[in-house]
């Protein structure tokens, strides 16, 4: 049984934002082949070069974390926040107005979108070192070049490469900071 697979950043094609305001590189989506209107969840990395509105996604919750740069995020009904790689991920509704402004140069954001009836998404940050346990289906994204160790296996990763765990990862270690995205079933689902 495989412990998972590497998803190279350089192999992911650029895809236009739903609102046409920029491009993103999709890391994964479920179910495979689903479109922007019928995915259960989607993980992507978007480069934000200029200020602009986020695309509207009905009945979708978004979780954003920053891989590089700084992004000021204004979400209707909330105080503005400035997100950096050191910040915790920020969760907000995809069907409310949101506007992002890169500060001091481009920002690269990691964006997890999950339909509310399909589950709850999370992105957690981990420093270099041992990660106690990684759930099956979780996706690790490298903030910079690093080595991922899963038991006796080592995987060389470049900045923004991803690794999807097919099985629960135990005895996992990384040589540089990472973000790990996961989706758990909705409350009450069996």
């Amino acid at each position: 049984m495989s412990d998972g697979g590497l998803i190279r950043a350089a192999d992911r094609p650029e895809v236009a934002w739903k609102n046409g305001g920029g491009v993103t590189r999709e890391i994964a989506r479920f179910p495979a082949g689903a479109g922007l209107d019928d995915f259960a969840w989607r993980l992507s990395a978007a480069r934000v070069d200029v200020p602009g509105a986020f695309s509207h996604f009905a009945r979708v919750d978004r979780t954003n974390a920053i891989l590089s740069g700084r992004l000021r995020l204004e979400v209707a009904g909330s105080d503005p926040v400035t997100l950096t790689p050191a910040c915790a991920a920020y969760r907000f509704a995809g069907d409310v107005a949101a506007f992002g402004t890169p500060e001091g140069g481009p920002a690269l954001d990691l964006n997890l979108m999950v339909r509310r009836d399909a589950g709850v998404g999370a992105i957690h940050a981990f420093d270099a070192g041992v990660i106690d346990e990684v759930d099956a289906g979780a996706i690790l994204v490298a903030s910079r070049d690093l080595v991922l160790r899963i038991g006796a296996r080592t995987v060389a990763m470049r900045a923004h490469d991803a690794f999807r765990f097919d099985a629960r990862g135990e005895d996992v270690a990384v040589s540089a900071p990472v973000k790990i995205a996961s989706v758990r079933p909705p409350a009450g689902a069996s």
Side-chain angles (χ1 to χ4, degrees):
M1 177 163 123
S2 167
D3 54 14
L6 182 62
I7 306 165
R8 289 272 183 217
D11 295 340
R12 299 188 312 253
E14 289 185 340
V15 178
W17 292 352
K18 183 179 176 183
N19 69 7
V23 294
T24 188
R25 291 184 185 266
E26 185 171 276
I27 298 168
R29 81 170 59 193
F30 182 81
L36 290 178
D37 294 323
D38 60 351
F39 64 80
W41 61 263
R42 178 177 184 255
L43 180 66
S44 62
R47 184 177 160 123
V48 184
D49 291 312
V50 297
F54 277 51
S55 299
H56 182 271
F57 284 91
R59 299 175 304 286
V60 169
D61 286 322
R62 297 175 80 141
T63 305
N64 278 51
I66 301 299
L67 293 171
S68 64
R70 297 172 55 89
L71 182 69
R72 179 177 169 84
L73 184 59
E74 299 172 58
V75 177
S78 300
D79 291 334
V81 296
T82 298
L83 303 175
T84 70
C87 293
Y90 184 79
R91 190 165 180 244
F92 62 99
D95 45 14
V96 299
F99 193 90
T101 303
E103 296 182 342
L108 185 66
D109 84 1
L110 184 63
N111 181 25
L112 177 61
M113 295 188 289
V114 181
R115 293 218 184 273
R116 292 183 189 123
D117 61 354
V120 177
I123 299 174
H124 297 285
F126 294 89
D127 289 327
V130 174
I131 301 171
D132 289 334
E133 192 172 285
V134 180
D135 289 335
I139 300 174
L140 178 148
V141 180
S143 297
R144 58 181 178 254
D145 292 359
L146 61 84
V147 174
L148 165 65
R149 184 180 51 77
I150 308 163
R153 179 182 179 193
T154 60
V155 179
M157 298 178 70
R158 297 207 178 270
H160 313 136
D161 284 352
F163 186 91
R164 184 165 185 177
F165 287 83
D166 292 338
R168 173 164 280 182
E170 297 177 6
D171 193 23
V172 173
V174 290
S175 64
V178 297
K179 309 282 188 197
I180 298 181
S182 60
V183 178
R184 68 177 191 270
S190 53

